[in-house]
Amino acid sequence: MVKQMTRRRFVKGAFGAFLTLFGIGSGGYVYAKQIEPSLLDINTQEVQHPFIPKSFEGIKIVQFSDTHLGFQYNLRQFKKLVKKINELRPDVILFTGDLMDRPNKFTEINNLVPLLQQLHAPLGKYCIYGNHDHGGYGSNLYRNIMETANFDLLLNESKAIKLRDGSHIYLVGIDDAMLGRPNMALALKGVPVNSFKIVLSHAPDLAETISQYPVQWQLSGHSHGGQVKLPFIGALVTPPFGRKYTEGLYRIGQDQQLSLYVNRGIGTTRLPFRFLAKPELTVFTLKT
C-alpha cells in the first residue's frame, strides 16, 4: 500500500511537470521532447583516495544508467551510445540500473543482448538492479540479459578488481531500495576494511546509511537529474529514494568521508521529456 501511494505521488508530480512544460511555451515543449533527450553530456570526475593502489593510477571507469529502453529510448539510439562508450576506452564499465522501462513488455531482447556484448572493458563490466529491472516480473529476465552480455550482476555482494601485480580495489553492489532488499552488511562480507571500495546503489538517497560503513565512494542513478527542472525552482519530478540527491557530486557523512555521485541517466520514464537535465555518461579516473 505504501509503494502504491508513493508511485501515485510520483505520477502526480510528473503530470504537474508536464503541465509546466506547456506553460513555458511551444518552443520549450519541442526542446524538452525532441532535442534535450537526444543530447549527451560526458562528465569527468577524478577519484582520489589514499587506499587506491599506485598501480590503479589512471584507471578509467565509465558509468551509464537508466536507459529505460522501450519508453522513449530505442535500440538505434542505444547502438550509438555503445559506440560512444567504447570510444572512451574504459577499463571498467558500470551500469547502475533500469535497463528497460517495462521488462516484460520489451520485445527486442534478441537485438539488445548483442549490443550489450559489444561494450568492451578489459577489467570487467558490472551492473546492479534498479526498480524497473525488478518491476513487471523482470528480475530474472534482467539477470539473464546482463549475464549473457558478460556483465557481473552484483546483488548484495562485492567483487575485487585485480591487476597483474596483485593490487586490487572492490566494487560493492546492493539491491534496489524500492523493489529489492539492499543489504550493505552482506555486500561487504569478506571485504578488507582498509581497501578502496566503490558502492553501486541505484537509489542515491541511501547515502546516509551507506556512509556508516567503511566505504569511500557511491555511484547512483535513478533520479534522472529531476528529468524536468526549472531555473530557481530545481527538479520538479523526483522518484522515491531519489529526492534528496538528484545529480552530481556530494560529500556525505559527519566527516564527509563518503563521496556520492549521481548520474542523470540516459532515457526518460513516466513522461517523454527532459528539461535542463541532459542525459549523461560519467568518466571516473582513479588517482592515488
Side-chain angles (χ1 to χ4, degrees), residues 52-124:
I52 297 176
K54 290 183 179 179
S55 53
F56 276 82
E57 176 80 23
I59 290 293
K60 187 187 296 183
I61 299 172
V62 171
Q63 178 197 12
F64 73 110
S65 194
D66 297 89
T67 48
H68 287 271
L69 283 157
F71 181 62
Q72 186 187 24
Y73 198 68
N74 58 45
L75 288 185
R76 177 181 55 81
Q77 295 167 296
F78 187 65
K79 184 176 182 179
K80 293 180 180 178
L81 180 71
V82 168
K83 183 174 183 292
K84 177 60 68 176
I85 292 173
N86 284 334
E87 286 173 352
L88 294 170
R89 300 178 67 85
D91 298 293
V92 177
I93 293 175
L94 304 177
F95 178 67
T96 44
D98 283 3
L99 180 67
M100 299 166 287
D101 199 66
R102 300 174 69 186
N104 62 339
K105 302 292 184 182
F106 191 73
T107 59
E108 298 182 85
I109 290 172
N110 290 339
N111 296 320
L112 169 60
V113 171
L115 291 176
L116 287 165
Q117 289 173 330
Q118 290 175 26
L119 287 168
H120 179 67
L123 296 182

Side-chain angles (χ1 to χ4, degrees), residues 84-274:
K84 177 60 68 176
I85 292 173
N86 284 334
E87 286 173 352
L88 294 170
R89 300 178 67 85
D91 298 293
V92 177
I93 293 175
L94 304 177
F95 178 67
T96 44
D98 283 3
L99 180 67
M100 299 166 287
D101 199 66
R102 300 174 69 186
N104 62 339
K105 302 292 184 182
F106 191 73
T107 59
E108 298 182 85
I109 290 172
N110 290 339
N111 296 320
L112 169 60
V113 171
L115 291 176
L116 287 165
Q117 289 173 330
Q118 290 175 26
L119 287 168
H120 179 67
L123 296 182
K125 305 186 294 187
Y126 304 87
C127 64
I128 54 172
Y129 278 104
N131 54 298
H132 281 258
D133 304 315
H134 279 310
Y137 304 99
S139 301
N140 290 333
L141 178 61
Y142 174 72
R143 175 182 285 276
N144 290 337
I145 289 171
M146 299 308 279
E147 291 183 348
T148 302
N150 303 313
F151 276 77
D152 283 321
L153 177 60
L154 302 179
L155 180 59
N156 294 324
E157 58 190 308
S158 63
K159 185 86 171 185
I161 299 177
K162 298 180 180 179
L163 298 185
R164 291 181 179 178
D165 65 354
S167 61
H168 54 268
I169 64 173
Y170 285 86
L171 293 178
V172 181
I174 60 173
D175 202 359
D176 174 64
M178 285 182 66
L179 299 181
R181 295 181 178 180
N183 189 327
M184 273 294 294
L186 179 61
L188 285 170
K189 188 175 181 180
V191 178
V193 173
N194 292 329
S195 61
F196 182 75
K197 296 173 279 293
I198 299 174
V199 177
L200 307 182
S201 168
H202 183 66
D205 288 358
L206 293 185
E208 271 87 5
T209 299
I210 290 172
S211 69
Q212 297 172 22
Y213 292 85
V215 299
Q216 294 77 42
W217 274 75
Q218 174 185 333
L219 305 185
S220 298
H222 186 49
S223 67
H224 296 238
Q227 196 166 297
V228 176
K229 295 194 303 183
L230 292 180
F232 310 111
I233 296 175
L236 295 181
V237 183
T238 52
F241 299 102
R243 294 193 170 122
K244 187 171 184 179
Y245 304 109
T246 56
E247 65 174 307
L249 184 64
Y250 302 87
R251 306 292 185 187
I252 311 295
Q254 186 174 1
D255 299 319
Q256 298 187 333
Q257 69 272 21
L258 177 68
S259 297
L260 163 67
Y261 191 87
V262 185
N263 180 289
R264 292 193 299 268
I266 298 296
T268 59
T269 188
R270 307 297 179 191
L271 293 171
F273 300 108
R274 276 187 179 266

